[in-house]
Amino acid sequence: MKRIVTVQRHLIETQHLNPDATGKLTAMLWDLTIAFKIISRAVNQAGLINMRGEEGQINTSGDSVKKLDRYAEDVIYNGMNHGGHVCCMASEEEPQLITIPDQYQKGKYVLTYDPLDGSSNIDANVSVGTIFSIHHRLSESGNGTLADALQPGNRLVAAGYVVYGSSTMMVYSTGNGVHGFTLDPSVGEFLLSHESFQIPRKGKIYSVNEGHSSGWDEPTRRYVEYLKTPEAGPYSGRYIGSMVADVHRTLLYGGIFMHPRDYRRDEHFGQGKLRLLYEAAPMAFLVEQAGGIATTGDERVLDIMPTDLHQRVPLVLGSPADIETYQKFMLEARA
Ligand code: P6P
């Protein structure tokens, strides 16, 4: 039997790896795991507690808000607004920066999150997920500012996701490798199941929505066609349409996940569909920590300086050998 390590124990054991560790990040991640357990219960019972379907609003990103989106948003906000961990928050579900109520202490971190990504799949019982990232505040004290939230991924202190699938799994990194914990609902604990996992150097799976191929640039189209040839493998296509599930599989099995520029769709997607702060940057942090590469096709995702809370970017991430092949196709087109 493997040693039994809860995520709390793991946080405490690895806290010393961060030179400026004061225990506050550990306490913050600890509170986040409570929110994840509550969301997991709701996702798993959605059909039974009338939590399926639309909430009747459209969010900043133009997505229809599901009841579970709103529920997950409320759980994370109310779980994290009073612990003294954060000076402000930003959510994919909220148009503006989220301030901390006056009566609560302001902390040294900024929490950015997508409370329930892939929620358009919920009613079909497809895996969905929560994505989060944590920065140090830049402002000295008091309420956090927009500048505190608009920080590049290369300054992330921690990031992670929870995939609510056949089991609920939390995957996170504080900059010392990527670690996965599987929720044992019978005891209500996230238990270490994937310690320090690395993405395979090369995979055999590509993951992209080929329905949008008419909007891709030529090198992307040629690259995806190449993957289907005997010379390349051929690769298998796997696309769930729920980023957390697609990225989780890519981290474990290797290969490439793509949501490239789509010039055909409206101006929103000319620069990509996925949100930099809530999806691309945290996932890029994790993929790099696991030995992979994450790019927009033009630049390293973690080096992008955000200019807007809901900024979108193209995203191509995965095994280093696969990304290097993709980048060759992109460079040849510019030669
Ligand atoms: P498309 C879900 O709406 C999401 O934000 C990600 O979870 C997912 O990877 C992507 O959009 C799917 O986009 O264009 O394939 O429907």
Side-chain angles (χ1 to χ4, degrees):
M1 180 185 221
K2 287 202 297 188
R3 65 194 179 105
I4 298 172
V5 181
T6 63
V7 66
Q8 288 89 340
R9 166 58 38 208
H10 192 268
L11 285 167
I12 292 167
E13 285 179 357
T14 54
Q15 177 180 301
H16 70 278
L17 298 174
N18 290 312
D20 60 351
T22 60
K24 288 192 181 301
L25 180 64
T26 298
M28 178 177 175
L29 285 164
W30 196 314
D31 283 354
L32 267 174
T33 63
I34 307 297
F36 298 155
K37 292 175 191 177
I38 294 169
I39 295 168
S40 175
R41 182 191 58 192
V43 168
N44 293 333
Q45 295 178 347
L48 304 172
I49 52 174
N50 188 29
M51 285 291 267
R52 290 196 187 286
E54 316 283 324
E55 204 229 12
Q57 294 179 10
I58 301 295
N59 69 13
T60 312
S61 303
D63 300 331
S64 161
V65 178
K66 297 280 189 177
K67 289 178 186 171
L68 270 176
D69 280 326
R70 175 49 54 197
Y71 179 79
E73 168 61 33
D74 291 347
V75 167
I76 294 177
Y77 173 72
N78 288 296
M80 301 306 294
N81 70 357
H82 59 281
H85 311 303
V86 294
C87 61
C88 61
M89 297 187 267
S91 168
E92 197 259 344
E93 292 297 332
E94 294 297 334
Q96 308 300 331
L97 188 72
I98 300 169
T99 56
I100 302 305
D102 291 345
Q103 67 271 34
Y104 298 138
Q105 183 194 349
K106 287 26 173 207
K108 69 179 190 178
Y109 293 112
V110 182
L111 175 66
T112 308
Y113 58 94
D114 185 350
L116 206 65
D117 184 75
S119 54
S120 56
N121 295 300
I122 286 172
D123 295 353
N125 214 15
V126 171
S127 299
V128 292
T130 298
I131 310 171
F132 67 93
S133 42
I134 299 171
H135 280 103
H136 279 300
R137 70 181 300 169
L138 299 174
S139 53
E140 281 306 309
S141 60
N143 280 314
T145 65
L146 199 53
D148 287 315
L150 295 177
Q151 295 188 58
N154 58 28
R155 284 214 292 264
L156 277 169
V157 171
Y161 60 81
V162 185
V163 52
Y164 310 104
S166 52
S167 66
T168 291
M169 211 175 139
M170 174 181 169
V171 174
Y172 87 99
S173 174
T174 56
N176 303 293
V178 181
H179 313 286
F181 300 80
T182 301
L183 180 64
D184 179 338
S186 64
V187 295
E189 291 291 354
F190 281 104
L191 302 179
L192 184 63
S193 52
H194 300 67
E195 186 165 22
S196 300
F197 66 90
Q198 290 283 299
I199 193 168
R201 165 115 192 96
K202 189 176 187 302
K204 291 186 169 43
I205 296 171
Y206 75 99
S207 183
V208 66
N209 184 340
E210 295 199 62
H212 304 332
S213 59
S214 62
W216 299 344
D217 57 37
E218 190 50 33
T220 300
R221 261 203 295 275
R222 285 196 304 105
Y223 170 71
V224 172
E225 286 313 306
Y226 161 72
L227 294 179
K228 301 172 187 175
T229 63
E231 178 197 351
Y235 277 52
S236 293
R238 294 283 185 279
Y239 191 72
I240 301 167
S242 191
M243 182 190 192
V244 174
D246 281 318
V247 172
H248 185 62
R249 184 206 53 248
T250 305
L251 274 171
L252 290 176
Y253 296 171
I256 186 167
F257 168 79
M258 309 170 80
H259 209 294
R261 274 189 181 76
D262 180 344
Y263 295 93
R264 180 182 47 89
R265 290 165 89 174
D266 63 35
E267 76 287 348
H268 271 315
F269 299 159
Q271 69 276 15
K273 176 188 181 186
L274 300 180
R275 276 67 56 155
L276 173 60
L277 287 185
Y278 313 111
E279 294 168 309
M283 290 307 200
F285 178 78
L286 291 167
V287 165
E288 288 199 7
Q289 280 291 315
I293 297 174
T295 174
T296 63
D298 301 315
E299 60 184 317
R300 180 183 180 230
V301 171
L302 294 188
D303 292 338
I304 299 173
M305 190 65 195
T307 54
D308 180 273
L309 287 178
H310 299 279
Q311 176 175 347
R312 299 170 184 270
V313 291
L315 179 64
V316 178
L317 59 76
S319 297
D322 292 303
I323 304 298
E324 285 155 8
T325 303
Y326 168 72
Q327 288 172 320
K328 281 194 191 110
F329 275 75
M330 296 300 279
L331 286 173
E332 281 163 12
R334 298 192 178 115

